Amino acid sequence: MMKFVRTSAVSAAAVALFAATAYAQGQAPAAGDGPPVLANKIALPQGIAARLLVTSSAFTSGGQLDDKFTQNGDNMSPGLSWTKAPPGTQSYAILAEDAGVNRHDPIVHWVIYNIPSTSMSIPQNIPTDARLENGAEQGKNVRGSVGYIGPKPPAGQTHPYHFEVFALNTRLNVENTDRNAVLNAMRNHVLGSGEVVVNYTGK
């Protein structure tokens, strides 16, 4: 029995790794119980949080993402700006997620958190370092690497990418910096949120 459990666990891990690797290489992920549930549906409180207006100098809301922000180009992160957050904001978190997949969890392209409360923007082409000069920290993307990774959907498929900004009443203290760890730490701490959505078609 123990042998079976160990074998099953190894098999499940291998399947998960294969799915993430396949997507990162531009292949379609396996079908699942989609549509995906995005971060803003999980982390927001039951009450109404303040709305942040999120924009980007790299694209217009609902527009097409330039290749340079994808794996087909320079793979650089886009710059983002947002309106002033509610009083009591101690930090910001940003998640970039692909909602165009048929699975419960979206494809995670970026996790960045502990952005200083004095900030109302981030520049484009942020280094893929775990800790940035301003004190912000970055978590793992779909490949398991730290920092931003651009879109690369299957050829001919157009996916929407949600860049979600959260104003938090605390700084996050997380050790396993993947999406789930950050979302769990954000619970009951969201004062406001907003997003900007851009599309990209695979090549």
Side-chain angles (χ1 to χ4, degrees), residues 1 16-17 90 108 171:
M1 183 65 178
L17 178 60
Q90 297 296 311
V108 181
R171 287 179 59 84

Side-chain angles (χ1 to χ4, degrees), residues 17-103:
L17 178 60
F18 172 80
T21 303
Y23 180 84
Q25 294 175 347
Q27 303 172 28
D33 52 348
V37 180
L38 300 180
N40 58 22
K41 301 298 184 184
I42 299 173
L44 293 185
Q46 294 296 323
I48 300 176
R51 183 175 181 273
L52 305 180
L53 176 62
V54 182
T55 57
S56 176
S57 58
F59 55 82
T60 58
S61 178
Q64 289 288 325
L65 189 63
D66 190 277
D67 279 350
K68 68 182 179 181
F69 301 105
T70 77
Q71 294 181 58
N72 292 320
D74 297 327
N75 205 31
M76 68 170 62
S77 60
L80 297 171
S81 300
W82 53 89
T83 50
K84 187 175 181 180
T89 297
Q90 297 296 311
S91 70
Y92 294 96
I94 298 173
L95 284 88
E97 304 180 310
D98 177 1
V101 291
N102 184 28
R103 46 182 279 180

